[in-house]
Amino acid sequence: MPVGGVRKRTAEAVSHSAFTAPHASVFLTCDATATVDLVSTLRASPAFEGVRPTALSIVSRALVHAIADEPSLNAHWDDDTGEIVLHHDVHLGIATATSDGLKVPVVREAQRLSLPHLARSIAEVADRARTGRSTPSELTGSTVSVTNVGVFGVDGGTPILNPGESAILAVGAISDRPWVVDGALAIRKVVTLSLSFDHRLVDGEQAGRALATIGAFLGDPVPMLLADK
């Protein structure tokens, strides 16, 4: 089977990333019951008319929130200048499975968007990618990415960085699992998060803190969403 098009470009990109950036990963399993409940509430809100909010919308907002405290996750290593370049804006890549292969459309300046606008933008860029309507500029320029492996029933993984990025967050399946709440066993909505990062510019300390921040956000999203406004 000849290799060309998106498959060839993806193969070149992931090979370059895997063999130029020293990858490391951290994992966190957390209680996302409050996030699942919030998504159900938001779907009935007039502010989300015409768009279906998902847990990925909340996770994406949580990632942007974490980057505010750990900016090295939104940076790249510049070999030519010998510098670490910190990006002012968060251009969020949304890893999207399409009939042509993996595409990563971009939500520009995600840190400036309200939650309804962010949810709408994620849905729109992913739909354009799946239907082959994305322009080349819409598929380039991301500074950090998120991939939702949970849609396939997968708990987690070690995603490969997009070339030029320092971090990518993988979101696993949200499922009912036994969980200890206030010293008692309960059934909760639980998710595993996987954060891969470029160890040249992100240490385990920064990655671990960022992932803990994201997990705390999913565990109690409303106060943090209000604080972000």
Side-chain angles (χ1 to χ4, degrees), residues 145-167:
S145 293
V146 61
T147 179
N148 184 10
V149 298
V151 296
F152 308 109
V154 174
D155 290 331
T158 53
I160 291 180
L161 298 165
N162 271 335
E165 296 180 18
S166 64

Side-chain angles (χ1 to χ4, degrees), residues 22-95:
H23 284 56
S25 300
V26 289
F27 306 88
L28 177 68
T29 300
C30 59
D31 183 352
T33 306
T35 289
V36 173
D37 292 342
L38 176 61
V39 168
S40 297
T41 300
L42 294 179
R43 287 178 179 171
S45 170
F48 288 84
E49 185 176 356
V51 63
R52 183 177 175 83
T54 65
L56 184 62
S57 311
I58 310 299
V59 172
S60 297
R61 172 57 70 202
L63 176 58
V64 171
H65 179 85
I67 286 170
D69 292 328
E70 304 296 342
S72 62
L73 270 66
N74 191 51
H76 79 267
W77 181 278
D78 192 325
D79 276 319
D80 294 333
T81 63
E83 296 175 329
I84 292 173
V85 180
L86 300 175
H87 300 293
H88 176 71
D89 291 317
V90 180
H91 300 315
L92 183 64
I94 308 297

Side-chain angles (χ1 to χ4, degrees), residues 31 177-188:
D31 183 352
R177 301 187 207 175
W179 198 259
V180 176
V181 180
D182 297 328
L185 195 62
I187 300 298
R188 306 288 285 181

